[in-house]
Amino acid sequence: MKLARRTPYHANYWLATSWLVLLLVVGLLAPWLLLPYPAATPDLLHMATPPSPLHYLGTDPLGRDVLAGLVAGAQRLVLLSLPAVGLATLVGAIAGSAAGFWGNKQLRLPLASAGWLLAAGWWLATLPARAAVVSILLVISILFSWLSSRQAVGSSRRTFPLPLDSLVLGATALLGAVPRLILLVALAAGPPLSFVQLLSLLALVAWPETARLVRAQMLRVRVQPFMEAARASGLPAWHIWLHHALPHACLPLFSFAPLTLAGLVGLENTLAFLGIGQAPDQVSWGSMLTTVRQDPNAWWVVAAPGLALLCTLLALQHLAQALNKRFNAG
Amino acid sequence: MRYYWLGSLLASLTSACSTASPERVQETTPIHIRWANDPVALDPLAIPNQNASDAASLLHLGLLQVDYQANVYAPALAERLPGVQLIGDSLMRLDYQLRPAATWDDGRPVLATDVDFTLKLIQCPGLPYEVARTQFSFIRQLLPDPTNPRHFTLVCRGQGRELINTSGDFPILPENALDAQHTLRPLPLAMLQGWHPDKAPPAVVAALVSRYKQANSARYPSHLPGCGPYRLAEWVHNRHLLFQRKAHWWADDLRPAPFVLQARAQLLDYIIMPDDAAAVLALRRRELDVFPRMPASLFQRLQTSAAARKELAFYTNPSYDLISVGFNTRRALLNNKLTRQALGRLLDPAGLLTATQLGQGSLTVGLVPPDSQFYNDSLPALAYDPTQTLALLHQAGWQKQSNGSWYHSIIAQPLALTLRYRSDESAFATIALQFQAAAAKLGIPVKVLPLEASALTVALKAGDFDMYIRTIKGTPFGFNFSPLLHTNAIGMDNFTGFGRPATDQLLEDISIEGNLPRKRRLLRHFQVLIREEMPLVPLFYLANRLSASRQLRPIIASGLKPGYASGALSWASGSANVAIP
């Protein structure tokens, strides 16, 4: 499988990229930018004031500086949405490619490791979900499988097929059955979430689409002649999966990741707009947009964050289209 | 010519249509009133919020009710204000006479036995009436008049003026409907008041409690007949509550009808709209007729709109609602008054009043309204003073670390705080952000945690906070701060956990003191004590802002909750618009 013929980038691509690079730079340098006001500090003497030399983009009805809020929103995008996309892409790529590669019958685990897997499942289902405990049980299970495969004698040779494809498809169908926003609202309702909790939630709702895409691509890749050749040469399955199948199956992610990011940015700002799971000191574009309900005449509260959000979503769309054309043209 | 006549006819029809008077309302058209949240439960003796209290006052009546026109207590079920007889220096007898016309819906008269039953029901162990139990524990006995079933005397502990008002401010419930066998009559009220919570209640009480709980009057108010003017016709949770005027209400025959016993509207429809902006939109679209407790910015915006002024009338009164910030004095890092004083000086009451209320309201030095004769004007107003904060923190034993944080070597804790408040109040968010920013400048991290109202109450009762922001509801009728600051109220409304035997005694003395000069002295001392101990920081009293349709008769607005006299609400007869001065 080879890369498609390279096509020149359109001017829109450079515009979109410039905007995204600007956001990235602003987001990364936010703590060091010399802004006249911190994002979450109210100016009690200037509540909901229009743009002026004092507050270049005005203040919202909580007295927060809109310009500082824009920068905080960019920082949130860089520190929250971007890592969430990375995490979702990583999880989705691994899960989807593994499901597509091994299917339901080809990944066989030693029978003895089933106990550890069941223990992890039982713990997850019935006891307080301690991620650390479940992870340890899973690691033990994997180690046990590996050791068993190396030193297998007698009854330890017995294996069972892990229905990986069904498990991944089932999980994606389960998460996909509920609209993402509703799922996220249900999970985020209650006290404000910590940064890590919110990041994990965003990744949780975003990985199924990536997994489905990569799985579909893997189904095409695994029947390619070079895969047959790799198998024939006697390479271990995990080696073929990691070094030969996975890179090809993940090619569509170059154009899909920006779309996932656009989705998560929209989702995160929608949550902030609805005021779910976020305190007022966590300033984002969505949380600034929502304050217009307190003063519907404050157009500047909508204009700047709304424009920033619109430009970002459009830029990500353009980037995705351009990358798609570049990698899939012809 | 035919076309000329046809044209003329069309022209006159068109002009008739265009000049038709604005949409007229009928007497039976519901009056739509905005509520920000659902009342949750309508048990008249366990009121969870102000909306539930408003609803209970439509369904039930007390001996005395607030007259919103004069802002005084006036006789309702009682024929007149009680006669007062002071006994010694600590007891008081209140002589009540019930109105002969007062009856239940089934025609039975309202009698002293109903009052006695209600007082005992409040004290029944096993019923969730802890607040009412504390509030009415000063009524020790009801002495019936053997010759007149409508006449009785309440024996009260204390002689405070506010006790007279409080003695009649609870809904009277029908004994026959709830205890047809009169099983509570033989039990003395004092015995129920002194019943130890761990001891099993008497069998008759247990049976009554069981029956009462089964009736679930909190959810089904119709199971608990009242003698108020309305019945609940419909309750769709989080949507609306529709109250329908009783066709034959006993007070209709009273001539002249006292103001507190007026109920003009046929239908009162309380629409639940949590969002202020949506409620304003509904008001402009005539889907709402009354919008009480309107936020300052929206109120000002409507007032400056010529179109809105044509349709709406505006009312403003000083209210008795106080926004305050409280400290959890049970926490090790906040049990030192110097620490609390230091943190209190990071709040900017004057700036916050301007920012959140557009300056409408009044700053205060304590829990007494500034216009009260008991206000301690010798105390300086609390002001934002970070320099003083630093000095006080050092005095309290806090030491600044090299990383900028504060640490107390004795309690071995860093100074880091959580601040909780109700998420639906934008003013609270501004206060929280102001405090957080001021604290951050000094290196004190503050985590702000907005919560939904009921979740906040649970967190506050459980003591799961360092600081909170909330509105304290006050009245001009009395100064009973025991529910807020008495040690007996810890776990209930005393969220700060503040209290010592000496302060408890002071609160009790204030609530029962009848002598005005002595009461003034006690209250001034109390304000000094609160400033010194600072279990809470009173920021400012709010103004009550109300906007209503001009199609209604002029509203009797009041600084008291709910901000208007619901009994006086009615459509203006004859015209669609009524001129409001």
Side-chain angles (χ1 to χ4, degrees):
Chain A
M1 202 169 180
K2 64 176 183 181
L3 285 178
R5 180 171 50 87
R6 305 232 162 183
T7 51
Y9 290 120
H10 196 264
N12 282 351
Y13 166 83
W14 294 112
L15 205 60
T17 310
S18 307
W19 171 255
L20 293 173
V21 168
L22 177 71
L23 274 188
L24 191 70
V25 171
V26 169
L28 288 173
L29 299 181
W32 297 280
L33 288 179
L34 294 173
L35 291 171
Y37 304 94
T41 301
D43 182 348
L44 299 182
L45 297 175
H46 300 93
M47 307 286 282
T49 52
S52 67
L54 205 59
H55 293 275
Y56 300 126
L57 295 178
T59 60
D60 72 2
L62 292 178
R64 301 176 299 191
D65 185 67
V66 174
L67 176 62
L70 278 188
V71 173
Q75 188 183 19
R76 202 168 169 78
L77 187 145
V78 172
L79 298 182
L80 179 69
S81 302
L82 211 54
V85 169
L87 188 62
T89 305
L90 184 72
V91 172
I94 292 173
S97 64
F101 186 78
W102 278 291
N104 279 330
K105 293 180 179 170
Q106 292 180 33
L107 183 63
R108 301 192 72 83
L109 297 177
L111 196 57
S113 67
W116 292 102
L117 281 177
L118 286 173
W122 173 78
W123 191 287
L124 201 62
T126 59
L127 294 175
R130 301 280 176 204
V133 176
V134 176
S135 306
I136 289 168
L137 288 171
L138 284 173
V139 168
I140 291 174
S141 164
I142 292 164
L143 280 175
F144 201 87
S145 306
W146 181 69
L147 280 173
S148 302
S149 64
R150 288 173 66 90
Q151 304 167 353
V153 283
S155 61
S156 299
R157 280 183 185 281
R158 288 184 192 164
T159 58
F160 71 98
L162 185 70
L164 197 58
D165 198 29
S166 295
L167 285 174
V168 171
L169 280 182
T172 56
L174 192 70
L175 288 169
V178 186
R180 286 207 303 186
L181 181 60
I182 293 174
L183 183 66
L184 208 55
V185 166
L187 293 171
L193 300 172
S194 71
F195 182 80
V196 175
Q197 286 171 327
L198 193 55
L199 191 147
S200 309
L201 273 186
L202 289 173
L204 177 75
V205 298
W207 75 269
E209 284 184 17
T210 307
R212 274 197 292 263
L213 181 74
V214 174
R215 177 185 170 275
Q217 185 71 5
M218 181 60 87
L219 292 178
R220 290 168 56 196
V221 169
R222 75 176 188 183
V223 295
Q224 295 292 322
F226 74 92
M227 294 292 291
E228 294 293 332
R231 284 194 200 98
S233 66
L235 289 171
W238 67 268
H239 189 276
I240 300 172
W241 171 71
L242 187 64
H243 290 99
H244 302 281
L246 193 59
H248 289 86
C250 289
L251 269 182
L253 292 184
F254 283 102
S255 55
F256 190 68
L259 290 179
T260 310
L261 180 60
L264 282 194
V265 168
L267 209 55
E268 193 267 317
N269 281 290
T270 307
L271 269 192
F273 180 81
L274 295 173
I276 293 167
Q278 298 192 33
D281 55 341
Q282 296 169 356
V283 186
S284 69
W285 299 339
S287 70
M288 287 170 70
L289 282 170
T290 197
T291 58
V292 78
R293 290 188 300 179
Q294 293 167 36
D295 187 352
N297 286 351
W299 56 266
W300 55 93
V301 174
V302 178
L307 204 61
L309 191 57
L310 182 71
C311 288
T312 306
L313 296 181
L314 284 176
L316 288 167
Q317 293 275 2
H318 274 294
L319 182 68
Q321 279 175 11
L323 290 171
N324 189 38
K325 277 182 189 166
R326 188 166 181 80
F327 288 112
N328 297 325
Chain B
M1 195 66 182
R2 194 172 50 188
Y3 291 112
Y4 170 77
W5 283 111
L6 187 61
S8 303
L9 184 64
L10 281 172
S12 33
L13 273 175
T14 312
S15 77
C17 288
S18 62
T19 56
S21 59
E23 188 185 339
R24 284 173 189 275
V25 289
Q26 295 181 339
E27 204 181 338
T28 52
T29 306
I31 296 174
H32 302 291
I33 303 161
R34 190 258 178 151
W35 270 352
N37 45 42
D38 196 83
V40 183
L42 292 183
D43 187 331
L45 297 175
I47 302 289
N49 52 49
Q50 181 59 39
N51 294 343
S53 170
D54 299 351
S57 68
L58 299 174
L59 302 171
H60 303 274
L61 282 180
L63 298 168
L64 309 174
Q65 299 273 119
V66 174
D67 177 343
Y68 291 98
Q69 209 165 21
N71 275 359
V72 293
Y73 270 93
L77 281 175
E79 194 163 34
R80 54 186 171 270
L81 290 174
V84 183
Q85 183 193 358
L86 302 182
I87 304 168
D89 60 354
S90 63
L91 290 176
M92 174 170 64
R93 281 187 173 196
L94 301 173
D95 186 72
Y96 275 103
Q97 173 72 43
L98 292 166
R99 288 182 194 272
T103 57
W104 303 104
D105 290 346
D106 59 5
R108 289 171 190 264
V110 180
L111 300 175
T113 47
D114 293 312
V115 182
D116 188 41
F117 168 77
T118 309
L119 285 170
K120 288 175 179 171
L121 188 71
I122 289 171
Q123 301 297 338
C124 273
L127 288 174
Y129 299 151
E130 290 83 2
V131 175
R133 220 168 273 156
T134 312
Q135 195 178 358
F136 299 105
S137 61
F138 71 93
I139 303 174
R140 304 298 294 171
Q141 194 180 4
L142 183 145
L143 301 173
D145 181 348
T147 61
N148 183 354
R150 292 192 177 88
H151 180 233
F152 61 92
T153 303
L154 296 178
V155 180
C156 304
R157 192 176 52 200
Q159 297 182 338
R161 170 107 200 119
E162 53 266 37
L163 295 185
I164 301 171
N165 293 328
T166 310
S167 72
D169 188 17
F170 58 92
I172 306 301
L173 303 180
E175 183 190 34
N176 268 311
L178 296 164
D179 185 22
Q181 306 300 319
H182 306 153
T183 54
L184 278 190
R185 281 191 192 180
L187 301 177
L189 179 61
M191 187 193 88
L192 289 170
Q193 286 176 332
W195 200 267
H196 196 275
D198 297 336
K199 202 171 146 190
V204 289
V205 172
L208 175 68
V209 167
S210 171
R211 280 201 307 278
Y212 191 79
K213 282 182 174 172
Q214 274 180 356
N216 193 9
S217 60
R219 178 66 188 91
Y220 304 102
S222 58
H223 293 180
L224 188 60
C227 54
Y230 290 88
R231 66 177 190 84
L232 182 64
E234 190 175 56
W235 180 5
V236 183
H237 272 288
N238 294 316
R239 295 285 300 281
H240 81 131
L241 287 88
L242 181 66
F243 291 89
Q244 187 174 31
R245 177 74 155 76
K246 288 174 184 168
H248 303 288
W249 182 44
W250 61 269
D252 292 338
D253 301 329
L254 295 178
R255 295 287 180 277
F259 183 76
V260 292
L261 293 177
Q262 288 182 11
R264 294 179 183 165
Q266 291 301 313
L267 290 166
L268 291 174
D269 194 7
Y270 289 89
I271 311 286
I272 294 153
M273 282 192 186
D275 189 73
D276 290 329
V280 166
L281 193 63
L283 188 70
R284 297 298 308 274
R285 294 172 59 175
R286 299 184 181 179
E287 291 163 7
L288 279 180
D289 302 305
V290 181
F291 188 157
R293 302 197 287 279
M294 189 181 278
S297 58
L298 294 176
F299 190 78
Q300 192 190 47
R301 191 165 61 83
L302 282 182
Q303 269 188 316
T304 51
S305 156
R309 279 202 307 273
K310 273 172 73 179
E311 296 168 1
L312 301 170
F314 300 93
Y315 306 85
T316 312
N317 297 82
S319 85
Y320 300 93
D321 289 349
L322 171 69
I323 291 194
S324 67
V325 175
F327 297 103
N328 187 349
T329 61
R330 287 168 287 181
R331 292 272 163 98
L333 56 88
L334 290 170
N335 69 5
N336 183 334
K337 67 180 181 185
L338 292 172
T339 307
R340 298 196 294 269
Q341 286 175 10
L343 295 171
R345 279 163 178 78
L346 290 178
L347 289 156
D348 182 3
L352 289 168
L353 179 65
T354 308
T356 63
Q357 309 299 317
L358 304 176
Q360 296 169 11
S362 46
L363 294 169
T364 181
V365 297
L367 294 169
V368 177
D371 57 358
S372 165
Q373 57 174 320
F374 303 114
Y375 185 72
N376 191 340
D377 47 11
S378 66
L379 281 172
L382 196 73
Y384 174 64
D385 189 351
T387 316
Q388 186 73 7
T389 299
L390 285 175
L392 285 165
L393 283 177
H394 284 299
Q395 276 184 51
W398 292 97
Q399 289 162 344
K400 189 125 185 168
Q401 305 295 296
S402 54
N403 62 0
S405 66
W406 293 82
Y407 192 80
H408 202 293
S409 52
I410 296 173
I411 60 173
Q413 276 188 27
L415 186 55
L417 302 161
T418 55
L419 173 59
R420 292 190 185 274
Y421 60 92
R422 244 176 52 200
S423 55
D424 56 352
E425 277 281 355
S426 61
F428 290 177
T430 304
I431 295 168
L433 289 176
Q434 185 270 318
F435 180 78
Q436 187 188 43
K441 281 183 190 165
L442 301 185
I444 305 168
V446 178
K447 191 175 180 185
V448 293
L449 293 171
L451 278 178
E452 185 269 329
S454 56
L456 177 68
T457 307
V458 172
L460 295 186
K461 284 187 176 174
D464 181 19
F465 68 99
D466 292 320
M467 296 174 68
Y468 67 76
I469 307 169
R470 69 188 281 258
T471 306
I472 296 174
K473 296 175 179 65
T475 72
F477 306 120
F479 297 100
N480 182 8
F481 300 110
S482 295
L484 276 181
L485 295 165
H486 199 286
T487 49
N488 285 347
I490 291 175
M492 288 185 280
D493 280 357
N494 182 359
F495 301 131
T496 62
F498 173 76
R500 296 191 310 268
T503 58
D504 287 351
Q505 187 58 51
L506 177 62
L507 294 172
E508 287 163 20
D509 290 347
I510 289 170
S511 67
I512 61 173
E513 183 56 63
N515 179 289
L516 273 185
R518 277 207 299 269
K519 187 159 198 128
R520 188 175 297 121
R521 206 165 49 245
L522 287 171
L523 275 165
R524 288 175 78 90
H525 173 54
F526 169 71
Q527 289 166 81
V528 173
L529 180 110
I530 292 299
R531 170 59 65 83
E532 176 73 14
E533 293 286 340
M534 214 170 270
L536 45 83
V537 184
L539 292 178
F540 48 80
Y541 277 92
L542 295 167
N544 179 39
R545 291 170 290 267
L546 181 146
S547 180
S549 164
R550 283 184 181 270
Q551 289 184 302
L552 292 169
R553 283 177 190 276
I555 304 274
I556 308 295
S558 163
L560 292 165
K561 288 286 178 70
Y564 57 93
S566 54
L569 290 177
S570 65
W571 296 110
S573 56
S575 73
N577 282 312
V578 180
I580 306 284

